[in-house]
Amino acid sequence: MNCAAQPFRWCQQEELKMNPKTSKSRHGRKMPLVHPNAAAIDVGATMHMAAVRADRAPEPVRSFGTFTADLHRLIDWFTQCGVETVVMESTSVYWIPVFELLDARGFTVCLVNARDAKHVPGRKTDVSDAQWVQRLHSFGLLRASFRPKGQIVALRSYVRQRERLLEYAASHIQHMQKALTEMNLQLHHVVADITGATGLRIIRAILAGERDPEALAALRHYSCHSSAETIAKERSRAATAPSICLRSSRRSPSTPPTARRHPPATCGSKPC
């Protein structure tokens, strides 16, 4: 009898009879729920889509705004649905406020990489992102990213901010060196560090209008390895007022920090 001409259910039964081992592996086995009380959030810039199990609410997928009051309503809805763990993708920095609020309310929050959820096979086109991620998390198919707790998060933020400030400072120093070179003021050739004591004194004096090479050389720190005569010789070309006005805008609004990734070269015990 041709199996293709029979109903689909009858074909399945015939296949189970002919190969019982296959029946147990393909048809009789179901994946256990690892997180039965799981929910998911599809994080967005102006709207979050939240999803719970279909038997937990008449409307298992709902949208919420991103304001603080909206986030509290979202968390209250999760509480009413009996949610214990929430999964979300690490989309830009939009996940941070809702992540912190959920963690403060006692939920187990799972932050996953979007690529992990994207590479799991079996995605249905008629299922929203929040529903799909919730289903994957229910079966334990998503791997959580590392997120430190408590004061470690604050410490990591300070360290990262310090790294960014050091990079910004280095960029500003390069702009200052370029502006000085365009004016043929080879300050970085006679002092080891233009943001040291001697370099900053001379730069501030030039910006204030000082053009006398002897007066600029007199600002030399006593520990600088270059003599006052060398500095005065290097200052012999006076920059014009328009060039100073145009290029002084490249100077950082505040004094560049002297602390760097690598300490500046020193003459003796003090930077020059």
Side-chain angles (χ1 to χ4, degrees), residues 11-264:
C11 295
Q12 280 188 333
Q13 294 175 357
E14 290 296 321
E15 182 182 357
L16 298 181
K17 292 179 181 179
M18 291 186 294
N19 195 347
K21 295 183 179 180
T22 304
S23 65
K24 294 181 180 179
S25 60
R26 291 185 181 179
H27 306 284
R29 185 176 62 182
K30 293 183 179 180
M31 294 184 61
L33 287 177
V34 180
H35 305 291
N37 301 322
I41 302 176
D42 183 15
V43 179
T46 58
M47 183 180 64
H48 298 329
M49 296 297 297
V52 297
R53 290 181 57 182
D55 58 349
R56 298 300 177 93
E59 188 180 358
V61 180
R62 294 180 57 182
S63 61
F64 296 87
T66 57
F67 295 110
T68 304
D70 299 324
L71 298 182
H72 282 291
R73 289 195 302 107
L74 167 62
I75 298 174
D76 293 338
W77 183 60
F78 281 164
T79 303
Q80 296 173 3
C81 295
V83 173
E84 297 178 356
T85 176
V86 181
V87 63
M88 66 183 70
E89 297 177 352
S90 54
T91 305
S92 184
V93 295
Y94 305 134
W95 58 271
I96 296 179
V98 64
F99 183 99
E100 293 179 347
L101 288 177
L102 287 168
D103 186 65
R105 293 279 290 268
F107 290 88
T108 301
V109 189
C110 181
L111 184 67
V112 300
N113 194 316
R115 291 177 296 182
D116 295 340
K118 184 178 181 181
H119 292 164
V120 177
R123 174 66 187 272
K124 303 298 182 181
T125 56
D126 58 343
V127 179
S128 67
D129 289 340
Q131 284 180 304
W132 177 245
V133 175
Q134 187 275 335
R135 185 178 303 174
L136 295 179
H137 186 49
S138 299
F139 293 111
L141 298 178
L142 297 177
R143 180 181 58 182
S145 303
F146 173 72
R147 170 74 174 176
K149 297 289 185 179
Q151 297 181 350
I152 303 298
V153 178
L155 177 61
R156 186 175 67 172
S157 299
Y158 284 127
V159 172
R160 290 179 175 177
Q161 177 67 7
R162 180 180 180 274
E163 291 290 332
R164 284 192 291 267
L165 292 177
L166 290 176
E167 293 175 358
Y168 297 157
S171 178
H172 282 299
I173 293 172
Q174 291 175 353
H175 293 164
M176 293 166 61
Q177 289 178 343
K178 181 179 180 181
L180 292 172
T181 302
E182 290 175 354
M183 294 183 291
N184 199 26
L185 301 177
Q186 307 294 334
L187 182 61
H188 58 283
H189 288 167
V190 295
V191 297
D193 185 7
I194 64 172
T195 59
T198 302
L200 286 180
R201 288 176 182 176
I202 294 176
I203 290 176
R204 291 191 182 109
I206 293 175
L207 293 178
E210 183 61 58
R211 300 293 182 271
D212 185 9
E214 299 297 333
L216 295 175
L219 300 176
R220 167 188 174 273
H221 192 271
Y222 70 90
S223 64
C224 183
H225 68 282
S226 297
S227 62
E229 292 76 11
T230 303
I231 297 178
K233 182 180 179 181
E234 193 278 328
R235 300 269 79 77
S236 58
R237 178 188 181 274
T240 60
S243 64
I244 288 290
C245 294
L246 291 174
R247 294 178 174 90
S248 63
S249 61
R250 296 180 180 176
R251 180 175 177 268
S252 175
S254 59
T255 302
T258 57
R260 289 178 187 80
R261 192 184 308 274
H262 302 289

